[in-house]
Amino acid sequence: MPDTCVNIVVGGEAGQGLVTVGDFLAKALVRAGYEIVVTQDYLSRIRGGHNTYAIRVSHEAVHGPRESIDLLVALDAQTVPMHTGDLSGRAMVLADEAIDRMGHTGLSIPFKTLCPKPMFENIAALGVLAQVLCLDRKWFEDLIAETFHKKGDEIVSANLKVFSDALTWAGSQQAGFSCMPAPGRTEKRLFMHGNDAIALGALAAGANFCSYYPMTPSSSVASTLIEHAQRMGMLVEQAEDEIAAINMALGASYAGARVVVPTSGGGFALMVEGISLAGMTETPVVVVLAQRPGPATGLPTRTEQGDLNLVLYAGHGDFPRAIFAPGTPEQCFEMTYRAMDQSEKWQSPVFVLTDQYLADSYRAVTPFDLSALPPVSAPALATDDPAGYERYAVTENGVSPRLVPGFGEHLVVLDSDEHTPDGHITEDLGVRVRMVDKRMRKGLGLKEDVLPPTFTGDDAPEMLLACWGSTYGPAVEAAQIMRTQGKKTAVLHFGQVYPLNPDQFLPLLASAGRTVMVEGNYSCQLAALIRQETGYVFGATVTRYDGLPVTAGYILKRLEEAN
Amino acid sequence: MIPIEQYGTFETAWCPGCGNFFINKALKKALSTLDLPPHKVLICSGIGQAAKSPHYLRCNCFNGLHGRSLPPAQGAALANTEVTVFAESGDGCSYGEGGNHFLAAMRRNVTMTYLVHDNQVYGLTKGQASPTTAQGQATKFQPWGTPSMPFNPISVAVTMDVPFVARAYAAEVDHLADIIVQAARHPGFALVDIFQPCVSFNKVNTYAWYKERCYKLGQDHDPTDWRQAMIKAQEFGDRVPIGVIYKGSRQPYEQRMVSSVRRPLATSKPDMTALDDILEGYT
Ligand SMILES: Cc1ncc(C[n+]2csc(CCOP(=O)(O)OP(=O)(O)O)c2C)c(N)n1
Ligand code: SF4
């Protein structure tokens, strides 16, 4: 397959502004109509170290990150030696004059002459990049104007001048990097990462209360909510700890709010008793868990899909739950929206599992059609029979009418201990059994509502790659590559990983020659769950747990090694 | 005034003679005085004997986890302006397991009333020392005497400039009821620490012990004087003051939050036009 992608990597120390360069460039590329996948690799420190911001860009769809680098922007001297081994045949290195390019083709940029002050170096780097990538300067100029307009016209024009000078300088250098094909599309797309999409999905579903305790890589869900809190009338509170965050959310939910709680594995571990409380009191709550390598407390800024078992088994005792695992920002939006609805509909805790890679991965996203969203379930405010109202009335599908306290004469009584239909504590063991049965019947409903896994690729494939969450894109790309090699290949992506409905996927697995589960963890947690629930055993597994995202190249290499 | 009968009568799981009965009586009396019908009252509690309280009263009730009466209470109070919110639990639940939440609630200052049944012992788990047990006091689980110094919720709350800080004694029902009424009317976070004799496990802090020591603060105590309040907060020995120790005027949390939050949240629908506009910002 001819490689039509360009993989751009900006490397440097934390605090050098590489995210500014990366964000600007990525946004300009999306505006210009290109497809991108951003991967951010950073250390758990605020300054220093070696960080990268990688943008894989193409005029056609790109699904995941790639290892080999075509354009390396070195903001510090470490960057070139660190990535020498990854440079592709056509690679170019862009670096300051003072940095040794180690013999690689590229440009030594006279930042000192191009910039009146060192703070303009990021903008100068963008000028060079715009020229090298043959991008219309207008995309950058608009962005510069929008970004700096609050700081005044003088700052805007100073930045525009640096940008223009750098672009002109690069033009005079005849750098000779081949231009990318022009993108075919002109319609507007959104520029956002997975966590933005999750926050927006929650807002679209009416989320109006968020309690959280900061933890990478979930914090940006909260920060996006905070950014829009004023306009959307949302209450966001930084709790004193995760235990408070989940309990506060449950209190708010009980009192009529629509709640979302973002956290990461270590924080979620602290919330576990609260999850049981949600299960027992049948209080809706959506927890967004952005995974990172654990256990306590692992690689704080790297990625992994290691917390499926944690959310699957979190809590003491039995109660129903649902777990979503979106693979793209579009799915982040849709599935969080759905999670909010399912949680209310089945009065159960519902989880959205994402990870650092997807959380930080900017993409060109098809705009969401808000008018086409299905309605979201809601509790009732009042009842005709307040005296007869029972919060835990035993019903056929297990769902009891949920009312909000204070809006009528009815009383809403919740208890973490076993309770009678009217919510009061009981030690009657017969009631206990009826109540467990009632709660667990909701699980059947949750199962009927399960989103089927998506199957893409050839029918009756020789090779089927199964995956969940953010591994979706890399698996699709690996499948495409195998297809060009003449192998019938398909991908089965689980966007909802619990409950599972075997009828939705066992026939597909049976139709495949070889099945491989691809997961970003050591123990292949979804494969184990599928085996436990259905007895199905995958032909092979590909796992990754070095803190980096799964890529197509990684999958293919591991499959080759297995042969 | 709402007739007291409206709050119901219930069979309890408390030991005969327990101080909890008086608190239950005082709370009903206070709610009646406050003219709060049962459906306008929301009580969150934790786990323990005291935490069962809201079950013994007709009201909206969220009986959650040990140590966690405050987070749901604050969440509910922020979400729902149709109800008056209380949290009610034991001293172990409130100052031990829930200590961090107590500290945060004082800082946050959400309008609600915190009723702590302070029996200076763990009741439900059978008599271990609690955070307010006196140093050196022996229990079955601390046979050589409680090694740690007791926590003083009153002086901590006064230090934190909590808007309403009171100490009460369960058996003084009318006095306690009056304090609860004042607490519920005061904007911001209100703490009422209530001495509650545990007849089963606390053989030191008995009715007689409290009766001998507790005296009611008189007109000469000015609760708005922080220094005086601090002195009263520290008074704990042969004589222990009961009554309103401190009244501050810190701005409640609700007045400091995002102004566009439309409460009660149950009736606030997402503004899709605004969201559409927000999405435009991502292009
Ligand atoms: C997380 C957790 N730890 C421990 C317990 C066991 N437990 C139940 S009640 C209680 C202590 C109750 O003491 P206190 O809060 O003083 O209330 P009292 O029973 O004296 O009214 C404990 C430790 C629990 N339910 N949950
Ligand atoms: S154990 Fe103590 S606190 Fe609990 S009910 Fe009995 S007397 Fe009351």
Side-chain angles (χ1 to χ4, degrees), chain A residues 188 191 208 228 230-231 237 240-241 243 254-256 405-406 408 412 414-416 424, chain B residues 39-40 55 60-61 63-64 68 80 100-101 108 253 258 260 265-266 277 280 282:
Chain A
K188 247 194 227 168
F191 173 78
N208 52 20
H228 308 310
Q230 180 70 37
R231 286 201 67 190
E237 174 64 4
E240 53 272 28
D241 55 34
I243 298 172
Y254 158 62
V412 191
L414 263 59
D415 201 282
S416 60
H424 286 292
Chain B
H39 69 276
K40 292 288 182 189
H55 283 292
N60 293 291
C61 155
N63 182 189
R68 319 295 168 214
N80 196 332
N100 193 25
H101 306 314
R108 205 175 272 122
Y253 180 101
V258 168
S260 65
L265 294 179
D277 204 48
E280 272 299 301
Y282 285 86

mmCIF file of all heavy atoms in Angstrom, chain A residues 188 191 208 228 230-231 237 240-241 243 254-256 405-406 408 412 414-416 424, chain B residues 39-40 55 60-61 63-64 68 80 100-101 108 253 258 260 265-266 277 280 282:
data_model
loop_
_atom_site.group_PDB
_atom_site.id
_atom_site.type_symbol
_atom_site.label_atom_id
_atom_site.label_comp_id
_atom_site.label_asym_id
_atom_site.label_seq_id
_atom_site.Cartn_x
_atom_site.Cartn_y
_atom_site.Cartn_z
ATOM 1 N N LYS A 188 -17.059 21.263 6.978
ATOM 2 C CA LYS A 188 -16.480 21.559 8.293
ATOM 3 C C LYS A 188 -16.386 20.301 9.139
ATOM 4 O O LYS A 188 -17.300 19.488 9.170
ATOM 5 C CB LYS A 188 -17.433 22.520 8.998
ATOM 6 C CG LYS A 188 -16.836 23.888 9.189
ATOM 7 C CD LYS A 188 -17.683 24.642 10.176
ATOM 8 C CE LYS A 188 -17.986 26.033 9.703
ATOM 9 N NZ LYS A 188 -19.012 26.686 10.466
ATOM 10 N N PHE A 191 -12.626 19.742 15.704
ATOM 11 C CA PHE A 191 -11.285 19.377 16.130
ATOM 12 C C PHE A 191 -11.337 19.132 17.634
ATOM 13 O O PHE A 191 -11.555 20.061 18.415
ATOM 14 C CB PHE A 191 -10.324 20.525 15.808
ATOM 15 C CG PHE A 191 -8.934 20.347 16.351
ATOM 16 C CD1 PHE A 191 -8.036 19.509 15.705
ATOM 17 C CD2 PHE A 191 -8.521 21.010 17.499
ATOM 18 C CE1 PHE A 191 -6.746 19.344 16.196
ATOM 19 C CE2 PHE A 191 -7.228 20.842 18.001
ATOM 20 C CZ PHE A 191 -6.342 20.005 17.338
ATOM 21 N N ASN A 208 -25.766 17.723 34.390
ATOM 22 C CA ASN A 208 -25.695 19.052 34.996
ATOM 23 C C ASN A 208 -24.995 19.055 36.340
ATOM 24 O O ASN A 208 -24.974 20.060 37.042
ATOM 25 C CB ASN A 208 -27.087 19.703 35.085
ATOM 26 C CG ASN A 208 -28.097 18.795 35.749
ATOM 27 O OD1 ASN A 208 -27.722 17.867 36.457
ATOM 28 N ND2 ASN A 208 -29.373 19.051 35.525
ATOM 29 N N HIS A 228 -17.423 24.805 29.764
ATOM 30 C CA HIS A 228 -18.774 25.092 29.261
ATOM 31 C C HIS A 228 -19.815 25.205 30.378
ATOM 32 O O HIS A 228 -21.002 25.327 30.093
ATOM 33 C CB HIS A 228 -19.188 24.015 28.266
ATOM 34 C CG HIS A 228 -18.181 23.800 27.193
ATOM 35 N ND1 HIS A 228 -17.660 24.843 26.457
ATOM 36 C CD2 HIS A 228 -17.559 22.686 26.753
ATOM 37 C CE1 HIS A 228 -16.769 24.373 25.598
ATOM 38 N NE2 HIS A 228 -16.682 23.077 25.770
ATOM 39 N N GLN A 230 -20.597 27.477 32.573
ATOM 40 C CA GLN A 230 -21.360 28.718 32.662
ATOM 41 C C GLN A 230 -22.491 28.736 31.631
ATOM 42 O O GLN A 230 -23.641 29.016 31.953
ATOM 43 C CB GLN A 230 -20.425 29.917 32.475
ATOM 44 C CG GLN A 230 -21.094 31.281 32.550
ATOM 45 C CD GLN A 230 -21.565 31.644 33.949
ATOM 46 O OE1 GLN A 230 -20.924 31.347 34.955
ATOM 47 N NE2 GLN A 230 -22.722 32.282 34.018
ATOM 48 N N ARG A 231 -22.153 28.351 30.412
ATOM 49 C CA ARG A 231 -23.184 28.399 29.357
ATOM 50 C C ARG A 231 -24.211 27.285 29.495
ATOM 51 O O ARG A 231 -25.377 27.460 29.134
ATOM 52 C CB ARG A 231 -22.523 28.317 27.977
ATOM 53 C CG ARG A 231 -21.835 29.617 27.629
ATOM 54 C CD ARG A 231 -21.619 29.759 26.165
ATOM 55 N NE ARG A 231 -22.840 29.909 25.417
ATOM 56 C CZ ARG A 231 -22.901 29.866 24.098
ATOM 57 N NH1 ARG A 231 -21.790 29.660 23.398
ATOM 58 N NH2 ARG A 231 -24.033 30.017 23.466
ATOM 59 N N GLU A 237 -17.930 20.329 40.795
ATOM 60 C CA GLU A 237 -17.281 20.518 42.090
ATOM 61 C C GLU A 237 -16.081 19.590 42.234
ATOM 62 O O GLU A 237 -16.171 18.388 42.001
ATOM 63 C CB GLU A 237 -18.286 20.258 43.223
ATOM 64 C CG GLU A 237 -17.707 20.284 44.629
ATOM 65 C CD GLU A 237 -17.128 21.636 45.084
ATOM 66 O OE1 GLU A 237 -17.232 22.638 44.336
ATOM 67 O OE2 GLU A 237 -16.553 21.688 46.174
ATOM 68 N N GLU A 240 -13.146 16.526 47.813
ATOM 69 C CA GLU A 240 -11.938 16.391 48.622
ATOM 70 C C GLU A 240 -11.194 15.098 48.308
ATOM 71 O O GLU A 240 -10.008 14.976 48.586
ATOM 72 C CB GLU A 240 -12.268 16.478 50.115
ATOM 73 C CG GLU A 240 -13.350 15.524 50.624
ATOM 74 C CD GLU A 240 -14.758 16.103 50.498
ATOM 75 O OE1 GLU A 240 -14.980 16.928 49.592
ATOM 76 O OE2 GLU A 240 -15.644 15.709 51.283
ATOM 77 N N ASP A 241 -11.863 14.132 47.758
ATOM 78 C CA ASP A 241 -11.226 12.880 47.351
ATOM 79 C C ASP A 241 -12.226 12.117 46.472
ATOM 80 O O ASP A 241 -13.359 12.558 46.289
ATOM 81 C CB ASP A 241 -10.775 12.040 48.566
ATOM 82 C CG ASP A 241 -11.900 11.761 49.556
ATOM 83 O OD1 ASP A 241 -13.050 11.610 49.112
ATOM 84 O OD2 ASP A 241 -11.627 11.692 50.763
ATOM 85 N N ILE A 243 -13.688 9.341 47.042
ATOM 86 C CA ILE A 243 -14.802 8.775 47.812
ATOM 87 C C ILE A 243 -15.909 9.823 47.902
ATOM 88 O O ILE A 243 -17.095 9.524 47.712
ATOM 89 C CB ILE A 243 -14.312 8.366 49.222
ATOM 90 C CG1 ILE A 243 -13.233 7.279 49.103
ATOM 91 C CG2 ILE A 243 -15.469 7.889 50.079
ATOM 92 C CD1 ILE A 243 -12.549 6.927 50.415
ATOM 93 N N TYR A 254 -29.690 11.347 43.334
ATOM 94 C CA TYR A 254 -30.890 11.045 44.123
ATOM 95 C C TYR A 254 -31.812 12.267 44.166
ATOM 96 O O TYR A 254 -33.031 12.164 44.031
ATOM 97 C CB TYR A 254 -30.442 10.635 45.527
ATOM 98 C CG TYR A 254 -31.455 10.766 46.635
ATOM 99 C CD1 TYR A 254 -32.641 10.041 46.609
ATOM 100 C CD2 TYR A 254 -31.199 11.592 47.729
ATOM 101 C CE1 TYR A 254 -33.555 10.159 47.647
ATOM 102 C CE2 TYR A 254 -32.104 11.705 48.773
ATOM 103 C CZ TYR A 254 -33.285 10.992 48.724
ATOM 104 O OH TYR A 254 -34.179 11.104 49.747
ATOM 105 N N ALA A 255 -31.195 13.432 44.299
ATOM 106 C CA ALA A 255 -31.985 14.661 44.434
ATOM 107 C C ALA A 255 -32.410 15.248 43.091
ATOM 108 O O ALA A 255 -32.993 16.321 43.040
ATOM 109 C CB ALA A 255 -31.193 15.690 45.233
ATOM 110 N N GLY A 256 -32.085 14.557 41.980
ATOM 111 C CA GLY A 256 -32.623 14.960 40.680
ATOM 112 C C GLY A 256 -31.630 15.466 39.657
ATOM 113 O O GLY A 256 -32.023 15.848 38.557
ATOM 114 N N PRO A 405 -37.144 13.719 45.192
ATOM 115 C CA PRO A 405 -37.724 14.225 46.437
ATOM 116 C C PRO A 405 -38.042 15.714 46.386
ATOM 117 O O PRO A 405 -37.371 16.477 45.688
ATOM 118 C CB PRO A 405 -36.631 13.949 47.484
ATOM 119 C CG PRO A 405 -35.388 13.625 46.744
ATOM 120 C CD PRO A 405 -35.777 13.230 45.352
ATOM 121 N N GLY A 406 -39.089 16.100 47.086
ATOM 122 C CA GLY A 406 -39.373 17.519 47.290
ATOM 123 C C GLY A 406 -40.373 18.137 46.343
ATOM 124 O O GLY A 406 -40.762 19.273 46.523
ATOM 125 N N GLY A 408 -43.415 16.807 45.508
ATOM 126 C CA GLY A 408 -44.792 16.420 45.795
ATOM 127 C C GLY A 408 -44.780 15.813 47.185
ATOM 128 O O GLY A 408 -43.724 15.806 47.841
ATOM 129 N N VAL A 412 -39.112 9.828 49.204
ATOM 130 C CA VAL A 412 -38.175 8.945 48.510
ATOM 131 C C VAL A 412 -37.154 8.461 49.534
ATOM 132 O O VAL A 412 -36.343 9.249 50.028
ATOM 133 C CB VAL A 412 -37.477 9.678 47.350
ATOM 134 C CG1 VAL A 412 -36.716 8.687 46.485
ATOM 135 C CG2 VAL A 412 -38.485 10.462 46.512
ATOM 136 N N LEU A 414 -34.097 5.934 50.469
ATOM 137 C CA LEU A 414 -33.064 5.064 49.907
ATOM 138 C C LEU A 414 -32.242 4.468 51.032
ATOM 139 O O LEU A 414 -31.955 5.160 52.018
ATOM 140 C CB LEU A 414 -32.105 5.901 49.029
ATOM 141 C CG LEU A 414 -32.357 5.913 47.525
ATOM 142 C CD1 LEU A 414 -33.747 6.443 47.243
ATOM 143 C CD2 LEU A 414 -31.313 6.768 46.825
ATOM 144 N N ASP A 415 -31.837 3.232 50.856
ATOM 145 C CA ASP A 415 -30.966 2.664 51.875
ATOM 146 C C ASP A 415 -29.907 1.738 51.298
ATOM 147 O O ASP A 415 -30.174 0.971 50.387
ATOM 148 C CB ASP A 415 -31.798 1.898 52.910
ATOM 149 C CG ASP A 415 -31.011 1.773 54.197
ATOM 150 O OD1 ASP A 415 -30.109 0.921 54.266
ATOM 151 O OD2 ASP A 415 -31.259 2.566 55.104
ATOM 152 N N SER A 416 -28.708 1.858 51.895
ATOM 153 C CA SER A 416 -27.602 1.004 51.468
ATOM 154 C C SER A 416 -27.734 -0.388 52.053
ATOM 155 O O SER A 416 -27.170 -1.343 51.544
ATOM 156 C CB SER A 416 -26.277 1.619 51.927
ATOM 157 O OG SER A 416 -26.275 1.738 53.344
ATOM 158 N N HIS A 424 -37.198 1.170 53.484
ATOM 159 C CA HIS A 424 -36.709 1.095 54.866
ATOM 160 C C HIS A 424 -35.880 -0.156 55.104
ATOM 161 O O HIS A 424 -36.146 -1.217 54.551
ATOM 162 C CB HIS A 424 -37.880 1.201 55.852
ATOM 163 C CG HIS A 424 -38.411 2.608 55.922
ATOM 164 N ND1 HIS A 424 -37.687 3.642 56.466
ATOM 165 C CD2 HIS A 424 -39.570 3.150 55.457
ATOM 166 C CE1 HIS A 424 -38.375 4.767 56.357
ATOM 167 N NE2 HIS A 424 -39.525 4.501 55.732
ATOM 168 N N HIS B 39 -42.184 15.757 53.285
ATOM 169 C CA HIS B 39 -41.644 15.645 51.930
ATOM 170 C C HIS B 39 -40.690 16.787 51.587
ATOM 171 O O HIS B 39 -40.070 16.782 50.537
ATOM 172 C CB HIS B 39 -42.776 15.526 50.897
ATOM 173 C CG HIS B 39 -43.584 16.767 50.734
ATOM 174 N ND1 HIS B 39 -44.633 17.096 51.562
ATOM 175 C CD2 HIS B 39 -43.505 17.765 49.835
ATOM 176 C CE1 HIS B 39 -45.149 18.245 51.176
ATOM 177 N NE2 HIS B 39 -44.488 18.675 50.136
ATOM 178 N N LYS B 40 -40.609 17.780 52.470
ATOM 179 C CA LYS B 40 -39.660 18.875 52.231
ATOM 180 C C LYS B 40 -38.377 18.690 53.045
ATOM 181 O O LYS B 40 -37.507 19.559 53.057
ATOM 182 C CB LYS B 40 -40.298 20.231 52.581
ATOM 183 C CG LYS B 40 -41.420 20.619 51.623
ATOM 184 C CD LYS B 40 -40.857 21.000 50.260
ATOM 185 C CE LYS B 40 -41.958 21.431 49.304
ATOM 186 N NZ LYS B 40 -41.465 21.600 47.918
ATOM 187 N N HIS B 55 -34.632 6.680 59.316
ATOM 188 C CA HIS B 55 -35.644 5.646 59.094
ATOM 189 C C HIS B 55 -36.756 5.728 60.130
ATOM 190 O O HIS B 55 -37.813 5.128 59.959
ATOM 191 C CB HIS B 55 -35.011 4.249 59.178
ATOM 192 C CG HIS B 55 -34.244 3.872 57.953
ATOM 193 N ND1 HIS B 55 -34.850 3.635 56.741
ATOM 194 C CD2 HIS B 55 -32.924 3.707 57.753
ATOM 195 C CE1 HIS B 55 -33.936 3.323 55.843
ATOM 196 N NE2 HIS B 55 -32.749 3.366 56.426
ATOM 197 N N ASN B 60 -37.651 12.315 53.416
ATOM 198 C CA ASN B 60 -36.854 11.759 52.336
ATOM 199 C C ASN B 60 -35.526 11.347 52.953
ATOM 200 O O ASN B 60 -34.948 12.099 53.746
ATOM 201 C CB ASN B 60 -36.609 12.800 51.246
ATOM 202 C CG ASN B 60 -37.882 13.168 50.527
ATOM 203 O OD1 ASN B 60 -38.456 12.358 49.795
ATOM 204 N ND2 ASN B 60 -38.366 14.392 50.741
ATOM 205 N N CYS B 61 -35.048 10.159 52.565
ATOM 206 C CA CYS B 61 -33.893 9.619 53.280
ATOM 207 C C CYS B 61 -32.898 8.966 52.339
ATOM 208 O O CYS B 61 -33.266 8.194 51.461
ATOM 209 C CB CYS B 61 -34.419 8.611 54.304
ATOM 210 S SG CYS B 61 -33.285 7.327 54.805
ATOM 211 N N ASN B 63 -29.804 6.868 53.161
ATOM 212 C CA ASN B 63 -28.979 6.229 54.185
ATOM 213 C C ASN B 63 -27.869 5.481 53.446
ATOM 214 O O ASN B 63 -28.060 4.403 52.917
ATOM 215 C CB ASN B 63 -29.869 5.288 55.008
ATOM 216 C CG ASN B 63 -29.137 4.600 56.144
ATOM 217 O OD1 ASN B 63 -29.684 3.706 56.779
ATOM 218 N ND2 ASN B 63 -27.904 4.983 56.425
ATOM 219 N N GLY B 64 -26.696 6.117 53.376
ATOM 220 C CA GLY B 64 -25.629 5.605 52.505
ATOM 221 C C GLY B 64 -24.569 4.790 53.187
ATOM 222 O O GLY B 64 -24.857 3.770 53.795
ATOM 223 N N ARG B 68 -19.904 8.564 55.192
ATOM 224 C CA ARG B 68 -20.232 9.325 53.969
ATOM 225 C C ARG B 68 -21.582 10.024 54.049
ATOM 226 O O ARG B 68 -22.305 10.081 53.065
ATOM 227 C CB ARG B 68 -20.208 8.415 52.742
ATOM 228 C CG ARG B 68 -19.106 7.408 52.676
ATOM 229 C CD ARG B 68 -17.727 8.016 52.551
ATOM 230 N NE ARG B 68 -16.732 6.973 52.784
ATOM 231 C CZ ARG B 68 -15.564 7.172 53.363
ATOM 232 N NH1 ARG B 68 -15.200 8.368 53.765
ATOM 233 N NH2 ARG B 68 -14.731 6.165 53.551
ATOM 234 N N ASN B 80 -30.860 20.273 44.736
ATOM 235 C CA ASN B 80 -32.298 20.380 44.948
ATOM 236 C C ASN B 80 -32.658 21.454 45.966
ATOM 237 O O ASN B 80 -32.388 21.324 47.152
ATOM 238 C CB ASN B 80 -32.825 19.012 45.418
ATOM 239 C CG ASN B 80 -34.322 18.893 45.288
ATOM 240 O OD1 ASN B 80 -35.035 19.888 45.356
ATOM 241 N ND2 ASN B 80 -34.797 17.683 45.126
ATOM 242 N N ASN B 100 -12.298 13.520 56.666
ATOM 243 C CA ASN B 100 -11.925 14.398 55.550
ATOM 244 C C ASN B 100 -13.131 15.122 54.975
ATOM 245 O O ASN B 100 -13.043 16.281 54.574
ATOM 246 C CB ASN B 100 -11.226 13.568 54.459
ATOM 247 C CG ASN B 100 -10.529 14.431 53.437
ATOM 248 O OD1 ASN B 100 -10.158 15.562 53.729
ATOM 249 N ND2 ASN B 100 -10.358 13.912 52.233
ATOM 250 N N HIS B 101 -14.257 14.429 54.969
ATOM 251 C CA HIS B 101 -15.472 15.072 54.439
ATOM 252 C C HIS B 101 -15.931 16.202 55.360
ATOM 253 O O HIS B 101 -16.451 17.209 54.909
ATOM 254 C CB HIS B 101 -16.595 14.050 54.269
ATOM 255 C CG HIS B 101 -16.193 12.877 53.438
ATOM 256 N ND1 HIS B 101 -15.518 13.004 52.242
ATOM 257 C CD2 HIS B 101 -16.344 11.543 53.640
ATOM 258 C CE1 HIS B 101 -15.285 11.805 51.750
ATOM 259 N NE2 HIS B 101 -15.767 10.906 52.573
ATOM 260 N N ARG B 108 -16.268 24.164 52.398
ATOM 261 C CA ARG B 108 -17.205 24.386 51.281
ATOM 262 C C ARG B 108 -18.369 25.267 51.706
ATOM 263 O O ARG B 108 -18.819 26.123 50.971
ATOM 264 C CB ARG B 108 -17.691 23.015 50.809
ATOM 265 C CG ARG B 108 -18.150 22.978 49.383
ATOM 266 C CD ARG B 108 -18.490 21.559 48.965
ATOM 267 N NE ARG B 108 -17.363 20.820 48.446
ATOM 268 C CZ ARG B 108 -16.907 19.677 48.946
ATOM 269 N NH1 ARG B 108 -17.481 19.117 49.979
ATOM 270 N NH2 ARG B 108 -15.869 19.073 48.392
ATOM 271 N N TYR B 253 -21.730 28.480 50.038
ATOM 272 C CA TYR B 253 -21.253 27.988 48.742
ATOM 273 C C TYR B 253 -22.192 28.397 47.611
ATOM 274 O O TYR B 253 -21.747 28.830 46.546
ATOM 275 C CB TYR B 253 -21.159 26.461 48.809
ATOM 276 C CG TYR B 253 -20.673 25.787 47.538
ATOM 277 C CD1 TYR B 253 -19.359 25.361 47.431
ATOM 278 C CD2 TYR B 253 -21.539 25.535 46.468
ATOM 279 C CE1 TYR B 253 -18.910 24.728 46.282
ATOM 280 C CE2 TYR B 253 -21.091 24.918 45.318
ATOM 281 C CZ TYR B 253 -19.783 24.509 45.230
ATOM 282 O OH TYR B 253 -19.345 23.885 44.089
ATOM 283 N N VAL B 258 -21.287 28.977 39.939
ATOM 284 C CA VAL B 258 -21.624 29.493 38.612
ATOM 285 C C VAL B 258 -23.066 29.983 38.598
ATOM 286 O O VAL B 258 -23.995 29.262 38.938
ATOM 287 C CB VAL B 258 -21.437 28.363 37.563
ATOM 288 C CG1 VAL B 258 -22.049 28.735 36.224
ATOM 289 C CG2 VAL B 258 -19.953 28.074 37.400
ATOM 290 N N SER B 260 -25.177 30.645 36.373
ATOM 291 C CA SER B 260 -26.170 30.158 35.406
ATOM 292 C C SER B 260 -26.764 28.811 35.805
ATOM 293 O O SER B 260 -27.636 28.300 35.115
ATOM 294 C CB SER B 260 -25.525 30.038 34.032
ATOM 295 O OG SER B 260 -24.528 29.051 34.082
ATOM 296 N N LEU B 265 -31.888 21.119 39.922
ATOM 297 C CA LEU B 265 -31.316 20.556 38.697
ATOM 298 C C LEU B 265 -32.268 19.594 37.996
ATOM 299 O O LEU B 265 -32.168 19.393 36.790
ATOM 300 C CB LEU B 265 -29.991 19.849 39.015
ATOM 301 C CG LEU B 265 -28.855 20.762 39.501
ATOM 302 C CD1 LEU B 265 -27.602 19.949 39.813
ATOM 303 C CD2 LEU B 265 -28.526 21.837 38.475
ATOM 304 N N ALA B 266 -33.194 19.019 38.759
ATOM 305 C CA ALA B 266 -34.137 18.071 38.147
ATOM 306 C C ALA B 266 -34.975 18.732 37.068
ATOM 307 O O ALA B 266 -35.475 18.067 36.164
ATOM 308 C CB ALA B 266 -35.045 17.470 39.219
ATOM 309 N N ASP B 277 -23.772 25.938 19.620
ATOM 310 C CA ASP B 277 -22.846 27.053 19.511
ATOM 311 C C ASP B 277 -21.466 26.674 20.077
ATOM 312 O O ASP B 277 -20.428 27.023 19.516
ATOM 313 C CB ASP B 277 -23.436 28.234 20.276
ATOM 314 C CG ASP B 277 -22.898 29.540 19.765
ATOM 315 O OD1 ASP B 277 -22.894 29.713 18.526
ATOM 316 O OD2 ASP B 277 -22.459 30.355 20.591
ATOM 317 N N GLU B 280 -19.627 24.687 17.607
ATOM 318 C CA GLU B 280 -19.042 25.557 16.576
ATOM 319 C C GLU B 280 -17.617 25.973 16.952
ATOM 320 O O GLU B 280 -16.752 26.140 16.102
ATOM 321 C CB GLU B 280 -19.897 26.825 16.405
ATOM 322 C CG GLU B 280 -21.010 26.696 15.407
ATOM 323 C CD GLU B 280 -20.515 26.398 14.000
ATOM 324 O OE1 GLU B 280 -19.736 27.197 13.461
ATOM 325 O OE2 GLU B 280 -20.898 25.336 13.466
ATOM 326 N N TYR B 282 -15.452 24.309 18.219
ATOM 327 C CA TYR B 282 -14.469 23.239 17.989
ATOM 328 C C TYR B 282 -14.060 23.124 16.530
ATOM 329 O O TYR B 282 -13.342 22.205 16.168
ATOM 330 C CB TYR B 282 -15.015 21.905 18.502
ATOM 331 C CG TYR B 282 -14.969 21.800 20.011
ATOM 332 C CD1 TYR B 282 -16.000 22.287 20.811
ATOM 333 C CD2 TYR B 282 -13.861 21.245 20.652
ATOM 334 C CE1 TYR B 282 -15.949 22.213 22.189
ATOM 335 C CE2 TYR B 282 -13.790 21.162 22.034
ATOM 336 C CZ TYR B 282 -14.839 21.647 22.796
ATOM 337 O OH TYR B 282 -14.767 21.576 24.168
#
